């Protein structure tokens, strides 16, 4: 398991998004396999956090967050409470938890929140 990404790796995210977007779902797995660890490492370093600010649209494309306005039920209440409690980082990340992801192996799109390990 990769747990560190070089700072130069973050600059590859736009190209990886382009590669994934230009292929059929069954052929996107290599770009997603490369982008996944980079995005996961982004939260562990100052460089990675900066990359999240520089490449938000590319990361969002890879992770498919739910639109904040579409969060309903528990997800919507959690986001509203986070905003009311001035927990803006949590409020920004909840759409990723309640968004979707695509299996890099088979291309199946699934809900992140209801996925089992």
């Amino acid at each position: 398991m990769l747990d560190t990404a070089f700072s130069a790796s973050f600059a590859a995210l736009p190209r990886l998004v382009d590669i994934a977007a230009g292929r059929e779902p069954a052929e996107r797995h290599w770009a997603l396999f490369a982008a996944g660890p980079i995005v996961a490492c982004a939260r562990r370093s100052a460089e990675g956090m900066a990359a999240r600010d520089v490449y938000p649209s590319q990361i969002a494309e890879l992770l498919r967050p739910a639109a904040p306005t579409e969060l309903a039920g528990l997800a919507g209440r959690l986001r509203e409470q986070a905003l009311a409690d001035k927990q803006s980082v949590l409020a920004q990340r909840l759409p990723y938890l309640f968004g979707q992801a695509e299996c890099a192996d088979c291309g199946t799109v699934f809900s992140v929140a209801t996925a089992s390990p």
Side-chain angles (χ1 to χ4, degrees):
M1 178 76 152
L2 298 174
D3 62 355
T4 303
F6 292 104
S7 57
S9 301
F10 301 114
L13 288 174
R15 180 68 181 128
L16 291 170
V17 169
D18 290 344
I19 291 169
R23 292 189 166 57
E24 294 296 319
E27 298 174 1
R28 294 180 186 166
H29 63 281
W30 292 114
L32 297 174
F33 282 149
I38 295 169
V39 172
C41 291
R43 69 179 187 277
R44 296 188 189 110
S45 71
E47 294 166 328
M49 293 305 289
R52 284 177 158 316
D53 294 336
V54 174
Y55 304 111
S57 62
Q58 289 84 358
I59 292 171
E61 175 68 23
L62 292 168
L63 298 180
R64 298 182 186 196
T69 57
E70 294 177 2
L71 294 176
L74 175 62
R77 290 193 307 273
L78 285 171
R79 184 173 181 277
E80 288 174 16
Q81 189 63 50
L83 290 171
D85 291 342
K86 297 182 175 36
Q87 298 293 321
S88 60
V89 172
L90 176 60
Q92 291 171 354
R93 293 184 179 165
L94 282 171
Y96 292 94
L97 173 62
F98 293 101
Q100 296 181 330
E102 182 177 323
C103 175
D105 289 330
C106 69
T108 300
V109 176
F110 60 92
S111 167
V112 174
T114 60
S116 61

